[in-house]
Amino acid sequence: MNKEMKIIGVREFPEYLDRAVDYLTSKWKIDRKIYEDCLCNSLVTKHQLPRWYLLLKQQEIVGCYGLITNDFISRQDLYPWFCALFINETIRGQRWGERLLAHGRTEAVKLGFSRLYLCTDHVGYYEKYGWQYLADGFHPWGATSRIYEIQLFDILSDNWLRNSIG
């Protein structure tokens, strides 16, 4: 990874809390109180989730994502959810989205999960990284999103196999 870029967990670096709340609020246009409450409680919960991660270029936040129990979607039976993937426009096209997706899969495995889900309106992007369309889901505000799933242990086994052969 580029030496000036790193991915950190807000739980491990709570000094980034306020900046993370501001960043997520500005990028996703969701009421600041929601992110503030979620991120503050993520620092002290005894539960595995939620977890929030930041992509830093030196000390500046240039990307983010979260692992949460539900992404405002009707499929309450599915979790955890990969959410809020965002990469600043200035560094798009440099595979940082792919790196954050991979980081999220690794973190989910560390937390003991065998599958990961996400909801989106994008078609084609997540499929490039092994995500499979599962179904449509419904949001409280009336919108519909595509739900994707990825099996985590298959990915780790494939990577292990590739690394051990090659």
Side-chain angles (χ1 to χ4, degrees):
M1 188 182 313
N2 184 330
K3 289 183 181 182
E4 68 179 22
M5 304 285 277
K6 65 180 175 179
I7 301 168
I8 65 164
V10 177
R11 188 181 281 200
E12 291 75 28
F13 292 89
E15 63 270 23
Y16 281 89
L17 175 66
D18 288 332
R19 290 172 55 200
V21 170
D22 289 341
Y23 185 82
L24 283 154
T25 300
S26 72
K27 302 307 177 192
W28 291 106
K29 310 299 185 217
I30 293 176
D31 188 323
R32 188 180 199 287
K33 287 184 263 183
I34 292 173
Y35 281 123
E36 185 174 41
D37 190 45
C38 185
L39 270 81
C40 284
N41 285 298
S42 76
L43 300 180
V44 297
T45 185
K46 294 177 184 171
H47 299 284
Q48 297 167 306
L49 301 175
R51 300 283 179 122
W52 295 92
Y53 301 89
L54 304 172
L55 175 62
L56 301 179
K57 181 176 184 179
Q58 297 170 350
Q59 301 303 315
E60 178 190 357
I61 301 171
V62 294
C64 64
Y65 79 89
L67 296 175
I68 59 176
T69 57
N70 188 274
D71 199 6
F72 304 108
I73 195 98
S74 57
R75 292 297 302 270
Q76 299 285 315
D77 58 314
L78 305 175
Y79 70 92
W81 292 83
F82 184 98
C83 73
L85 176 64
F86 192 89
I87 303 294
N88 282 14
E89 292 83 359
T90 57
I91 62 165
R92 288 187 186 163
Q94 299 175 30
R95 304 182 75 180
W96 289 108
E98 177 183 1
R99 291 174 185 153
L100 288 181
L101 284 167
H103 188 271
R105 292 190 310 262
T106 300
E107 291 299 302
V109 168
K110 288 180 188 175
L111 294 169
F113 297 105
S114 62
R115 295 173 191 257
L116 190 57
Y117 302 90
L118 65 79
C119 60
T120 185
D121 297 331
H122 294 289
V123 177
Y125 180 76
Y126 295 99
E127 293 90 336
K128 293 188 301 189
Y129 304 112
W131 294 81
Q132 296 182 342
Y133 171 76
L134 181 64
D136 285 342
F138 309 97
H139 297 284
W141 52 87
T144 301
S145 287
R146 296 172 60 85
I147 296 173
Y148 287 87
E149 170 185 53
I150 196 161
Q151 294 185 13
L152 301 173
F153 291 118
D154 289 348
I155 288 173
L156 291 180
S157 297
D158 290 347
N159 286 340
W160 176 83
L161 183 60
R162 259 187 251 119
N163 290 334
S164 63
I165 293 172

